[in-house]
């Protein structure tokens, strides 16, 4: 069964304290892996798309990496405004439609000043 | 460029009623997907539409249905509402289907069933 597991469920950091969020996946063929950020009461905001093992993408204090079994979201010197729930999702390699994103439960990040 | 819009933003219904939610995708996007988000189950895929055709469907009962219009706008309908249908319903659009194209989400419709 296709599955996405994120850890930890919650993470508390001090401002400036770097850390990583983990997303491990079991899927029958991976077409793409996506990272989203979600603030309370809002829809997920797109961050990164990764397609193949070894790929890395960066945006401001965030860096996403991908291996054959997992992805990491590295947060360097976080600020309080980085506080949010970070969601990982995969698109399996089924024939036909790719509209089916399989999501993990998310990591709730809190950054204290 | 305007993002995905969803209406209404909030709804309160009672058990047994039906509800229709609306989604307008980003201009130029032809694929629309719907998701249900609850604290216990997280985000779960409902269905995807492309060129007015349902391309994929998640594991939800037949009470959940949807459609897409020629301008790519989409609606989803839930009939005979149950308490467990209370959730945030999210719509996402992407340019195309058949590829791992990025999906962009709207703000969601918060449905409360009493």
């Amino acid at each position: 069964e296709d599955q996405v597991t994120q850890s930890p469920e919650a993470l508390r950091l001090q401002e400036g304290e770097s850390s990583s969020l983990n997303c491990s996946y079991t899927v029958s063929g991976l077409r793409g892996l996506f990272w989203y950020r979600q603030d309370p009461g809002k829809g997920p905001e797109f961050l990164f798309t990764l397609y193949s093992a070894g790929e890395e993408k960066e945006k401001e204090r965030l860096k996403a990496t991908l291996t054959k079994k997992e992805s990491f979201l590295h947060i360097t010197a976080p600020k309080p405004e980085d506080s949010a729930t970070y969601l990982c999702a995969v698109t399996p390699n089924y024939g036909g439609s790719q509209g089916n994103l399989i999501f993990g439960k998310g990591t709730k990040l809190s950054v204290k000043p | 460029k305007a993002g995905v819009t969803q209406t209404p933003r909030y709804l309160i219904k009672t058990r047994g009623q039906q509800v229709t939610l609306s989604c307008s995708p980003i201009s130029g996007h032809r694929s629309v997907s719907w998701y249900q988000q609850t604290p216990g189950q997280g985000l779960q895929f409902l269905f995807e539409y492309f060129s007015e055709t349902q391309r994929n469907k998640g594991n939800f009962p037949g009470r959940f249905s949807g459609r897409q219009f020629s301008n790519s706008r989409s609606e989803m309908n839930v009939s005979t509402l149950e308490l467990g249908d209370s959730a945030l319903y999210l719509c996402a659009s992407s340019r195309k289907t058949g590829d791992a194209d990025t999906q962009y989400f709207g703000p969601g419709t918060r449905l409360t069933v009493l």
Side-chain angles (χ1 to χ4, degrees), chain B residues 11-26:
Chain B
L11 265 179
I12 299 176
K13 293 286 187 179
T14 56
R15 281 182 299 173
Q17 287 187 310
Q18 75 167 19
V19 66
T20 299
L21 312 181
S22 180
C23 171
S24 292
I26 293 171

Side-chain angles (χ1 to χ4, degrees), chain A residues 31-32 34 36 38 41-44 46 49 51 87 91 96-101 103 105, chain B residues 9 33 35 37 40-41 43 45 48 55-56 90 97-100 102-107:
Chain A
R31 275 191 172 258
F34 304 83
Y36 289 88
Q38 187 174 27
K42 297 188 177 182
F46 169 71
T49 305
Y51 291 108
L87 297 165
T91 297
S97 167
Q98 302 304 318
N100 182 12
L101 282 175
F103 278 87
K105 294 290 179 69
Chain B
R9 292 294 312 280
S33 297
Y35 295 82
Q37 186 174 31
Q41 298 299 319
L43 270 149
F45 173 74
E48 185 213 5
R55 297 296 298 269
N56 200 1
L90 292 159
T97 188
D99 197 355
T102 298
Q103 296 186 30
Y104 297 89
F105 285 82

Side-chain angles (χ1 to χ4, degrees), chain B residues 8-78:
Chain B
R9 292 294 312 280
Y10 302 92
L11 265 179
I12 299 176
K13 293 286 187 179
T14 56
R15 281 182 299 173
Q17 287 187 310
Q18 75 167 19
V19 66
T20 299
L21 312 181
S22 180
C23 171
S24 292
I26 293 171
S27 177
H29 285 196
R30 298 172 61 192
S31 173
V32 173
S33 297
W34 288 89
Y35 295 82
Q36 180 195 66
Q37 186 174 31
T38 60
Q41 298 299 319
L43 270 149
Q44 293 184 289
F45 173 74
L46 281 157
F47 28 65
E48 185 213 5
Y49 286 87
F50 180 80
S51 293
E52 302 178 65
T53 302
Q54 186 181 92
R55 297 296 298 269
N56 200 1
K57 190 177 190 304
N59 189 26
F60 279 82
R63 300 185 296 107
F64 292 82
S65 64
R67 59 177 176 169
Q68 187 181 32
F69 303 96
S70 58
N71 62 357
S72 294
R73 190 177 69 84
S74 177
E75 289 181 346
M76 68 163 282
N77 183 276
V78 188

Side-chain angles (χ1 to χ4, degrees), chain A residues 1-110:
Chain A
E1 181 186 349
D2 298 329
Q3 195 170 331
V4 177
T5 303
Q6 291 187 246
S7 62
E9 290 185 14
L11 181 62
R12 289 188 172 190
L13 299 173
Q14 288 295 127
E15 184 172 2
E17 180 186 2
S18 302
S19 187
S20 297
L21 313 182
N22 177 262
C23 169
S24 62
Y25 59 90
T26 304
V27 65
S28 49
L30 178 72
R31 275 191 172 258
L33 185 141
F34 304 83
W35 282 98
Y36 289 88
R37 167 195 170 125
Q38 187 174 27
D39 293 298
K42 297 188 177 182
E45 174 189 346
F46 169 71
L47 293 173
F48 302 108
T49 305
L50 301 167
Y51 291 108
S52 56
E55 191 173 359
E56 299 182 351
K57 291 206 175 157
E58 283 188 74
K59 178 182 178 181
E60 297 180 355
R61 296 178 293 281
L62 301 177
K63 179 181 177 180
T65 62
L66 180 64
T67 72
K68 287 187 177 180
K69 292 186 177 181
E70 58 190 349
S71 176
F72 292 93
L73 184 65
H74 306 279
I75 303 178
T76 302
K79 298 182 178 181
E81 53 262 42
D82 294 323
S83 297
T85 296
Y86 290 84
L87 297 165
C88 172
V90 299
T91 297
N93 192 14
Y94 300 149
S97 167
Q98 302 304 318
N100 182 12
L101 282 175
I102 301 169
F103 278 87
K105 294 290 179 69
T107 293
K108 186 174 182 179
L109 174 66
S110 298

